Amino acid sequence: MALKSSLQVIVSKPEEMTVSNSHFQQVSHRFAHLANKNPTAQPNAFGKLVRVAGGRLEVSGLRAGIGARCQIDRKGITPLNAEVIGFEGERLLLACEDATAGVVPGASVRVETISDQVPVGDALLGRIVDGAGRPLDRKPLVLDEGYPLRGKTLNPMDRSAISEPLDTGVRALNALLTVGIGQRIGLFAGSGVGKSTLLGMITRFSSADVVVVSLVGERGREVKEFVEDSLGKEGLKRAVVVATPADTSPLMRVSGCWRATAIAEYYRDQGLNVLLLMDSLTRFAQAQRELSLSAGEPPVSKGYTPSVFSLIPTLIERAGIVGRGSITAIYTVLVEGDDLQDPIADLARASLDGHVVLSRQMADAGVYPAIDIEKSVSRSMLQITEPKQQDQARIFRELYTTYEQNKDLISLGAYRQGSDNKIDSSIAYRESMMEFLRQPLDTPTDFESDLVALQSFADAVDAGSGSPTSSSVSPETMLVQS
């Protein structure tokens, strides 16, 4: 009876339902209006340029997130592309891709895109692009897929262990500093010692499925030389080159490194073994330093800002083995004045899975590639090589190190032959070691033949003077008293 009465009340008063629905619609419209006025809901589309100081541009009236792409209008010429790198109060801080010529006070600034996706696809193979993905070879480029510019955060448990060696085509690396598939390694050297030359050899000779090359801050002519001479027509067919020469903006140089890494990740996700070559990690750090300083970040070490020391490990950690594919990464590190204690060199050495140091003295003596075996190490070599190869490499390294440590005594004639068996062996096999390290730039080797050559060297040492053993003779006894 009570239920029937309630139904009668509801049916007999339909106007109350109309009032309730109308009130609900008013409240919902009001909340929707407030949401639209909320500045965090969506970025404002337009703003104006209020200040330009060097590479730093300040914009008011525009709301967009860090990393958003913007365009700045310029009278009579194409708009200037820029990226949001920070903000102060209500003003956005932008860094531009090109020179700021033609920019006027109050210029209109609009958000172009807030997506971090970069275009990728199989059409990239054999192409040369800049840091913004524009083709530099003046050919059309149509890409139908996207990949995050800053990559995806990887679960450490999803990474696979390094278990197979990579044939680099360079005898010294294959036999003495074996690089594994998925390893991250650095080439450390000063300017003019042969980093780019060694990179070119690895690019042409390696067994990787795809090669992605990032040329950062290089001289403009070196880009074409690398493509035509180091890669060649055959090498370019399986390669992607991202070039941001020295005359490009810091934003372009930084973006080029992220783009090259994203392209490598795209091919890794397809199950391919990718070789990522970045020349150089130091110039990436220098470009990021310029951006950070323009955004007001304080320097902490040699002018480098804290963000530089956090972004380098982030960039390096994107390489490795994930799923069926892998990225083997080689980064060149420019050490100023051959100082291996440079903050960027020190950080890279701590973050990478090994380092190859190039010697200026060997390069001056005409030994190429000028790899200093004494100062170089591959942290993955013990996991991917047989104990026999490790013993043979130890024999070579001990002889090489012994000679280097006593080179001054030997050169001055202050060492008396017979004082130390290990030094005698290092002198006897010095020329054989140099011949082993020396390799013509246009002549590749293979992993198996390199192991045979290493075994022949170790057998010759064993037959000639036995395996090198430690000596108790002190350095003082090696001096010839005048």
Side-chain angles (χ1 to χ4, degrees), residues 356-427:
V356 176
V357 179
L358 302 186
S359 168
R360 187 175 297 278
Q361 293 181 344
M362 293 178 65
D364 293 341
V367 179
Y368 285 99
I371 299 176
D372 190 337
I373 300 300
E374 179 186 10
K375 298 178 180 178
S376 305
V377 65
S378 173
R379 297 180 182 174
S380 301
M381 184 172 177
L382 295 179
Q383 286 75 40
I384 59 178
T385 57
E386 298 294 332
K388 182 179 180 181
Q389 179 187 349
Q390 298 168 17
D391 292 339
Q392 294 166 352
R394 178 184 55 81
I395 293 174
F396 189 104
R397 182 181 289 270
E398 286 186 359
L399 286 177
Y400 183 92
T401 302
T402 299
Y403 187 91
E404 291 298 317
Q405 292 177 348
N406 298 276
K407 182 166 56 177
D408 292 339
L409 290 176
I410 298 170
S411 300
L412 293 173
Y415 171 73
R416 180 183 293 120
Q417 187 175 2
S419 301
D420 190 295
N421 291 334
K422 186 189 294 186
I423 299 178
D424 291 341
S425 296
S426 68
I427 296 173

Side-chain angles (χ1 to χ4, degrees), residues 94-108:
L94 276 64
C96 54
E97 289 184 354
D98 302 309
T100 56
V103 172
V104 298
S108 177

Side-chain angles (χ1 to χ4, degrees), residues 198-413:
L198 180 56
L199 275 186
M201 294 176 66
I202 297 174
T203 303
R204 293 193 306 273
F205 304 155
S206 73
S207 58
D209 299 323
V210 175
V211 179
V212 180
V213 183
S214 176
L215 301 177
V216 188
E218 293 287 344
R219 293 180 288 273
R221 65 170 180 82
E222 291 185 339
V223 175
K224 187 173 183 180
E225 290 177 359
F226 186 89
V227 171
E228 295 182 351
D229 300 335
S230 298
L231 278 177
K233 291 184 178 179
E234 291 301 319
L236 186 59
K237 290 180 180 179
R238 63 181 181 118
V240 182
V241 180
V242 181
T244 51
D247 57 350
T248 57
S249 67
L251 178 62
M252 287 287 283
R253 279 175 268 152
V254 170
S255 298
C257 297
W258 293 115
R259 184 175 294 273
T261 306
I263 293 172
E265 288 178 315
Y266 165 74
Y267 285 111
R268 178 182 64 186
D269 290 349
Q270 295 184 359
L272 301 175
N273 291 325
V274 183
L275 177 62
L276 173 63
L277 306 176
M278 188 171 294
D279 187 13
S280 72
L281 191 65
T282 304
R283 293 193 177 102
F284 167 81
Q286 291 171 347
Q288 181 60 44
R289 175 176 62 184
E290 292 184 51
L291 292 178
S292 301
L293 290 175
S294 66
E297 195 174 348
V300 291
S301 178
K302 281 196 174 183
Y304 291 103
T305 58
S307 63
V308 174
F309 296 99
S310 64
L311 285 178
I312 286 180
T314 302
L315 182 69
I316 291 174
E317 281 299 312
R318 291 170 63 179
I321 305 176
V322 178
R324 296 180 297 108
S326 68
I327 297 178
T328 305
I330 301 179
Y331 304 91
T332 66
V333 181
L334 182 64
V335 289
E336 300 176 1
D338 296 335
D339 179 18
L340 293 177
Q341 303 307 315
D342 177 84
I344 299 303
D346 191 54
L347 174 63
R349 192 165 52 247
S351 303
L352 295 168
D353 302 322
H355 52 273
V356 176
V357 179
L358 302 186
S359 168
R360 187 175 297 278
Q361 293 181 344
M362 293 178 65
D364 293 341
V367 179
Y368 285 99
I371 299 176
D372 190 337
I373 300 300
E374 179 186 10
K375 298 178 180 178
S376 305
V377 65
S378 173
R379 297 180 182 174
S380 301
M381 184 172 177
L382 295 179
Q383 286 75 40
I384 59 178
T385 57
E386 298 294 332
K388 182 179 180 181
Q389 179 187 349
Q390 298 168 17
D391 292 339
Q392 294 166 352
R394 178 184 55 81
I395 293 174
F396 189 104
R397 182 181 289 270
E398 286 186 359
L399 286 177
Y400 183 92
T401 302
T402 299
Y403 187 91
E404 291 298 317
Q405 292 177 348
N406 298 276
K407 182 166 56 177
D408 292 339
L409 290 176
I410 298 170
S411 300
L412 293 173

Side-chain angles (χ1 to χ4, degrees), residues 25-40:
Q25 290 175 359
Q26 290 178 1
V27 172
S28 63
H29 286 318
R30 181 173 297 178
F31 275 110
H33 178 68
L34 292 174
N36 290 332
K37 293 184 65 177
N38 188 351
T40 61

